[in-house]
Amino acid sequence: MRAARTLAVAATAIAAAGLAAPLAAATNGPGSVTLGSSVVQRGGDGSSNVTVTPFAVHQGSTLTITVRGCSGGGTVSSAAFPTTTLSANHDGVSSAVARIHNNAPLGQQTLTVRCNNNNRVFTQQFRVLAGQGAQGGIGGSLAPSSTEMALGGSLVAAAALGGGLFIARRRRTGAAV
């Protein structure tokens, strides 16, 4: 009987650690993004080099800009958000995340991309919607922070240690199981 309970506690601790492992290994986003046709919006120059996701964004939310052809990075500017720097990524793809102003003008807006490694300029439109975007926490629009991950991991470790000590103490005192 004691062995069965010990095995159950050990299995529970291993399961908790195993279920928490994917969250612990998670990063702030995928390394590569595959864009479907529903999120690709044509640039003002007739190209498909600039992609904004999502196309319609609420005031105060974030907009992800992906640019093909600016491998050396660059800048993105618009009246709806502060000028943002494009990161220089591999394969000629650069990206930036811009936070829309809380009081940004509503409706169609235009962003302008200026590349550092060449004199190319791209434009792209997006739509600003009224109201604040959702900030739903882990299950919503935010990823867990490193502090939350450390706290969760330490709670799982403390539970496993406490369960092990409880079983060892009961076994030592010879209490009836």
Side-chain angles (χ1 to χ4, degrees):
M1 191 79 143
R2 289 183 185 172
R5 286 189 181 180
T6 304
L7 182 61
V9 170
T12 304
I14 290 171
L19 291 174
L23 280 177
T27 61
N28 288 334
S32 63
V33 179
T34 303
L35 299 172
S37 60
S38 63
V39 296
V40 174
Q41 299 294 322
R42 290 262 183 227
D45 59 357
S47 70
S48 61
N49 289 351
V50 179
T51 304
V52 294
T53 307
F55 176 75
V57 62
H58 289 278
Q59 294 169 319
S61 295
T62 58
L63 180 71
T64 302
I65 302 111
T66 305
V67 182
R68 299 188 193 302
C70 281
S71 59
T75 58
V76 181
S77 58
S78 172
F81 56 83
T83 299
T84 306
T85 303
L86 279 171
S87 63
N89 292 338
H90 64 289
D91 298 333
V93 179
S94 299
S95 63
V97 175
R99 184 181 179 281
I100 306 298
H101 294 299
N102 290 339
N103 59 353
L106 303 179
Q108 290 292 111
Q109 298 293 320
T110 303
L111 62 86
T112 304
V113 177
R114 288 182 171 71
C115 300
N116 287 340
N117 61 345
N118 54 39
N119 58 357
R120 297 176 82 178
V121 176
F122 300 107
T123 59
Q124 178 63 282
Q125 290 190 340
F126 63 98
R127 184 175 300 123
V128 176
L129 304 173
Q132 298 295 312
Q135 298 291 315
I138 293 174
S141 62
L142 299 176
S145 69
S146 58
T147 304
E148 291 169 331
M149 293 303 300
L151 181 62
S154 63
L155 287 174
V156 169
L161 180 64
L165 289 174
F166 176 77
I167 289 172
R169 184 173 176 208
R170 287 192 61 150
R171 185 175 290 169
R172 243 184 308 146
T173 61
V177 179

